[in-house]
Structure formats: structure tokens, C-alpha cells
Amino acid sequence: MDFEYSDKCKEHLERLDSFMRANIYPNEAAYADEVNSGDRWRPLELIEDLKKKAKAEGLWNLFLPDVSSLTNLDYAPLAEMMGRVAWAPEVFNCSAPDTGNMEVLHLYGTPEQKERWLKPLLDGEIRSCFAMTEPDVASSDATNIQSSITARDDSYIVNGRKWWSTGAGDARCKLSIFMGKTDNTAPKHLQQSMILIPMDAEGVKVERILNVFGYDDAPNGHAEIRFDDVRVPKENLLLGEGRGFEIAQGRLGPGRVHHCMRLIGVAERALELMCERAKTRVAFGKSISEQGVVRQWIAESRLAIEQARLLVLKTAWMMDTVGNKTARKEIAMIKAVVPQMALTVIDRAIQTHGGGGVSQDFPLAGFWIYARSLRLADGPDEVHLESIAKMELNSSSVN
């Protein structure tokens, strides 16, 4: 395993770093001010202006190998750099859930589906959401999903209630990729299908925006949506009936690497802020950086970040070389390891900042919420740990 960044990766990383320093970090306060002024759900002029700049500089759709020519291993450090500011990925058209949805359309969409939906998503003209999780069942076991996709003449009739559909509160959200059951009698992993539903279709209603630890995440949001007798043309079905799980597995692998690398960027920035604060704050007659416990926090944070990064890079390398299926244990491992690591580092940074750490004067409170949420997104820790244990037990042998 050689984790030396390729020349192409290094070149993109240098240009991305320059863009972040010139356009992202200086605008963090301006972003917050625009979100909190007037209608919180309108698209932000700041983001739209920066998207034009990023596209002009060729820093666009970097997540998609067939478009950017970057491998998963190439993209990983770029995702880490974008993750240092929560809203930065959108500037480069590299934010969830659009990245996962674009991958789905790229891999499984028909030419007609790609023309109608993938092209405007790649151009950054629209946004999308992914409707899988349901409020009435434990959706970490996707076989529990109750929503229905019923064939009728030349259409499907869709019914169900979904929640945590990230991005559905955004005025630019025009498409939902919906997962539901087409055949309750099929084997349990062949009952589900995915279908493309326009957000303006009759019977689609965004009922409310869900808060995350008291935050509404405007202007994108996380919505609860009702689908009541929504009629969708049969040509909107993805790949075929009963292939929803197959699509989901193809979607989640790269997405988890993206999430984890962005979260490593968050942890890196939290550690930087911790060090800066420790050097400038004085308590009990000496700087915090001279306090033994804070030095230990800093050292242990560096150890944890480096270990987590190496595991994610190994996972990205395996996905590039042997494929997502063979790398499934590593994919589960990073999902369990990285959010826990980031939470620990962020919590230490908050402690080092004192009261300021939980205020709006620093990004640490937002970082903590993001990291804590990712212990549930794409499945809770316990599901991934169970999968890892099963694979480990199956691969072990007694000599």
C-alpha cells in the first residue's frame, strides 16, 4: 500500500488550498450573517457566487472519478480539506446528498434519466434529496421499510412517509430518490426498489423540517416528507424492480469515505483551534499549553487523527484496487472509528476554549453536532460493529 499522493492529487490539493484561503475561510462570518438575515431558506448569494468561481477554476465535481479522473484515494485528501468548513463542499458541487445521488444516476441511470436529472445536478443548477429512512420503523435495518411502490398500468403509485431527507428543505431541491417495496413476497433483500420522484409531483408534501440538536441547518435542512398516491412513470424506476439494495450498496461506499475524510478535516481544524487557544489563554498563572492535561489532549488527538486518516486512506485504496464489495469491512470500520475520534478531539477543543467553545464565536459547537450526527447517518455504530464482528468471525480459523 502506497499512500503517497499522486501528482494529480497534489496539484488539485494546492489549488483547493489556495481557493479555501482566498474565498472560504474569510467568508465564514458572511455565510452565517446571510443565513440569519431575512428568509433563512432562500439560496445564498454567497454560495452561488463562489460556485461560479470554483467552476471557473476547475474545482468542480471532484468526487466523481469518471468526470474528474481522480481516484477515491486521490479525492480523499481533497474531501478532508473541504471538510474544514461545513458549507465548503457545496461550493465545489461535492456536498451530500447530491454526491451520492449523482453517483447513483451516473452508475444506474438510463440515458433519459441522466439527461433530465444528472446533467443539471452536475451543472449545479438543481439539488436533490434521498428518501429512505422512515419514522415508524428502525430504518438501520432497511428490510423494515414499509413504503410502497405499486405498479399500475404504465405508472407506479408511491406511498410512504420519510424523514431525515437532507436537502429537501432547499428551494433548489427538484428530485427525490425514493426507496420503497415493489414486492413483499420476494426474498427480503429483493423486495425494495428505487425510483426517481420530482419534488413538485402531485402528492409530495414536505411536512416539516427536523432540527438537529436545536439547529435547522437552513437553507438545506432535513425534512419529513409524505408521499400520498404519487403517480410516477415506470421509466423513472432505477435499474429494475428489486434492485434497491444493490443500488444502496453502490451509493454508500464512496459516500462513507467522503463523510469520513471531511470529518477528519473537522478534527484537524479542531486540533488547530485547540492549540491556538492553549497558547493564548492563561489560567492559574501560566498558559493553558503548559498544563499537563492539555498537552496530553493535544498529543492524543494527533495520534488519533493520524490513525483514523490511515484507515480511511487504506479503505479508499482498497475500493480503487479491489472494489467496494471486498472493502466492505474497511468501509464499516471507518464509519465506526472516525466519528468517535472526531467527537473526542472536538470535545477536548471545547474544554480548552471554556465557555467560548460552546458559543457562536467558534465553530466547535457546530463541529460537535456534525460529528455526533454522523454516528447515526448511514446506520448507527452498532450496526457497523455487528457487521465487522461477523466478518471477523467468518474469516477466523483455529489452527
Side-chain angles (χ1 to χ4, degrees), residues 80-290:
E80 177 181 337
M81 184 168 288
M82 293 179 206
R84 292 169 61 85
V85 176
W87 49 268
E90 184 183 351
V91 171
F92 309 101
N93 213 37
C94 291
S95 58
D98 292 324
T99 50
N101 291 343
M102 285 187 271
E103 285 169 333
V104 164
L105 288 164
H106 175 73
L107 291 172
Y108 308 113
T110 64
E112 293 76 18
Q113 291 168 349
K114 291 178 181 179
E115 180 63 27
R116 181 174 180 187
W117 300 114
L118 180 58
K119 187 176 184 297
L121 281 167
L122 287 171
D123 290 340
E125 296 171 357
I126 65 171
R127 298 209 64 185
S128 61
C129 67
F130 187 62
M132 186 181 80
T133 306
E134 298 180 3
D136 297 327
V137 299
S139 300
S140 56
D141 177 2
T143 62
N144 286 338
I145 286 173
Q146 297 300 306
S147 296
S148 63
I149 304 172
T150 306
R152 187 179 300 171
D153 301 324
D154 61 348
S155 303
Y156 285 103
I157 306 301
V158 176
N159 282 282
R161 187 158 63 106
K162 301 289 188 176
W163 71 347
W164 297 115
S165 293
T166 299
D170 195 312
R172 299 162 297 175
C173 183
K174 304 301 181 185
L175 170 68
S176 170
I177 297 183
F178 179 99
M179 188 169 180
K181 287 188 176 180
T182 44
D183 185 355
N184 287 306
T185 65
K188 68 177 184 177
H189 289 98
L190 297 177
Q191 296 179 8
Q192 299 79 11
S193 303
M194 289 193 190
I195 195 164
L196 306 174
I197 302 180
M199 289 297 288
D200 61 359
E202 186 176 352
V204 177
K205 182 182 179 183
V206 175
E207 292 202 320
R208 61 172 178 154
I209 299 297
L210 298 159
N211 287 352
V212 182
F213 291 104
Y215 289 82
D216 60 11
D217 283 347
N220 306 126
H222 314 275
E224 183 173 330
I225 313 173
R226 286 200 70 90
F227 297 82
D228 291 325
D229 290 329
V230 181
R231 183 177 290 272
V232 186
K234 281 195 172 178
E235 57 264 29
N236 280 30
L237 195 73
L238 280 166
L239 200 57
E241 289 192 10
R243 303 186 72 176
F245 262 89
E246 179 182 345
I247 297 170
Q249 291 308 305
R251 183 185 191 276
L252 289 176
R256 285 174 180 161
V257 169
H258 301 171
H259 272 312
C260 288
M261 287 305 294
R262 284 193 291 263
L263 202 49
I264 289 171
V266 167
E268 279 284 4
R269 192 151 182 229
L271 178 54
E272 290 173 11
L273 290 167
M274 184 180 358
C275 291
E276 291 171 11
R277 186 75 163 185
K279 288 187 287 188
T280 57
R281 298 285 285 184
V282 174
F284 306 106
K286 57 183 178 180
S287 69
I288 295 176
S289 64
E290 296 177 81

Side-chain angles (χ1 to χ4, degrees), residues 60-70 106 118 122:
W60 192 255
N61 292 329
L62 301 173
F63 71 95
L64 195 59
D66 287 345
V67 173
S68 66
S69 299
L70 296 168
H106 175 73
L118 180 58
L122 287 171

Side-chain angles (χ1 to χ4, degrees), residues 25 93 240 305 340:
Y25 302 127
N93 213 37
I305 291 170
Q340 289 273 22

